[in-house]
Amino acid sequence: LPWGSGGVLGFRRRRIVLPLHARTATDRMPSTLQPLLLFASLATAAAFPDGLWTGASYDGIEAAEEAVALHQVEVLKQFANSVEEVKERVQKTAPGWALGIVSAVAGFLDETVQVPAVKAHAAAMSLAQAVSLSDLRPGGRPVRWEHLTVVSGDGTRLRATVAIPQQRGGERASFPVVVMPNSWALCVLEYTLKQQEWAAAGYVVLHYQARGWFNSEGLIEVAGPADVADASAVLDEVGKRAAEWRADAEAIGMVGVSYGGGLALLGAAHDARVKCAASLSGWGNLTRALAGQAAPNQVWFDILMSTSILVGRPDPQIHAMWESLVSAVVDPAANVDPLLAWAEERSPEAFAAKMCGRRLPVLVSNNAQDELFVSDAALMLRQTLHGAGCRVQLLINQGVHAMAELPSLAGIGGLVAHQPVWDETLRFMQAHLRPSKEPPPAGAQQREVGHPHPPSRPAIRFQLRSPEGIFVAPRFVSYDRWPPREQEAVSLRLGQPLLGGGAAGGGGATGGEAAAGQAGREDS
């Protein structure tokens, strides 16, 4: 797993060490190329599981790690300026048509190449829909694409793309709006297929790159107050462009995966213009996510920090807070008040009363084998929001973090059994955003196979495990409340040890143990 800024890459005791002078090239690499470094690093780690050494002794590793740590703060300061320098240099030397192609493929579009890039983007999506790539189906409305920059309240510029459905002849309909913040370390192309699919079904779908990632300005603040302000700035932009886009600014929903899921809930909690929110593989309580049961999740922290350094600009405060968390576990006397305050303002659960005071509809979807945002925590989030008055729908899928959502986003949804999480999300949006009367994309209603459901969606659904894994249609068990009515309480009592031969021989069971065993068999 990559760590440092092109310096030391390490996972537990297996380390990949790159020469420190390679940092110069890495730090100045255009953000469009940085994901390639990430994938190359992971591929190298897989190819050399015992470690790849490039002229560094074991003793040299500690010195290298220290050098990278000292270098990191300076890297963060220089990163934004260096990327801008590279962009300006490329714009002056590369022909316009080449810039258009590169920008369309990578999704990072400068104002000088907006027109060819937008046309290429729209053409690629039209072709993908014509050949039924992933969840796309032919038909629906024509879709117009636009790439734009949203300026937040503090002047930070955020990159965004919007898919806009086109009205048919003589039609005067307006379209609901869905806003999608990016996932952790994923680029502006993340939701492209879903944007095309949902726009063809009659939604204005805007995806924005949160601050600190790729070509959006600022630092990554882990869904802090600045990110919440950014979400409101995006909604302001929707309001300004509503007439042009034929958008219904009174019918706005937010949807996100992982980091974007947390941003969606926080944005909805702080801005009443959001009428519903869906968090897919997101979190409710940040402290519980990163240090559940008072056990810091070091592996996931390393993954998140490594990827953020490669394709973004993390706020140095993130690492300081993590060190504070680890110290608090070791030293009970440590002052954790700043840490708790930092985590609380980034936890949707903390704003349950604000969110649910207006009975906000919320969809929570997490995956059963997720070791970052565990499914138990998703159930706790559901109970908290439900108790506060929100209308909550919970979906627990099989898979690790974000794995139920990614196949459709990556365009390989047709290679595995269809996961209904995106269909459920679209149904959820339809139910709460007063959409046009046209149905979802062709076939969406028939794709789901499994537990039969009544016309109204059940409050809680759990996907059942299957020996065939992801290659068979998923099956679910559903409940309309939690705890479920089917649950039965069994009381077990421990009595005095039985006297007599059994006890004297040392092998007798207590009366309570015998009763417990019998009760267990009956309950099973």
Side-chain angles (χ1 to χ4, degrees), residues 170-203:
E171 189 180 29
R172 300 183 61 85
S174 59
F175 305 108
V177 180
V178 178
V179 175
M180 295 179 166
N182 67 291
S183 302
W184 190 271
L186 292 188
C187 70
V188 77
L189 292 176
E190 176 185 3
Y191 298 110
T192 293
L193 295 177
K194 283 300 161 190
Q195 287 180 273
Q196 178 74 23
E197 178 189 359
W198 289 13
Y203 293 79

Side-chain angles (χ1 to χ4, degrees), residues 3 68-79 184 211-212 218-222 301 305 308-309 312-325 339 342 346:
W3 180 254
V68 170
L70 294 174
H71 180 71
Q72 191 58 50
V73 174
E74 185 63 26
V75 168
L76 293 173
K77 294 178 181 179
Q78 295 177 356
F79 187 90
W184 190 271
R211 64 171 54 219
L219 298 178
I220 301 167
E221 297 191 9
V222 194
F301 177 78
M305 283 301 298
S308 69
I309 290 169
R313 299 168 301 283
D315 188 334
Q317 186 184 28
I318 299 173
H319 200 277
M321 287 299 170
W322 177 258
E323 293 298 329
S324 174
L325 175 62
L339 169 65
W342 183 87
R346 291 162 170 81

Side-chain angles (χ1 to χ4, degrees), residues 114 138 170 173 190 196 395 401 420 432:
Q114 282 281 346
E190 176 185 3
Q196 178 74 23
L395 183 64
H401 183 64
H432 301 291

Side-chain angles (χ1 to χ4, degrees), residues 18 134 199 280 324 342 438 482 511:
L18 302 181
S134 192
L280 313 181
S324 174
W342 183 87
E438 55 192 283
W482 195 265

Side-chain angles (χ1 to χ4, degrees), residues 95-109 113 116-118 120-121:
W97 62 267
L99 287 176
I101 294 176
V102 172
S103 297
V105 172
F108 305 115
L109 307 165
V113 293
V118 171
H121 195 163

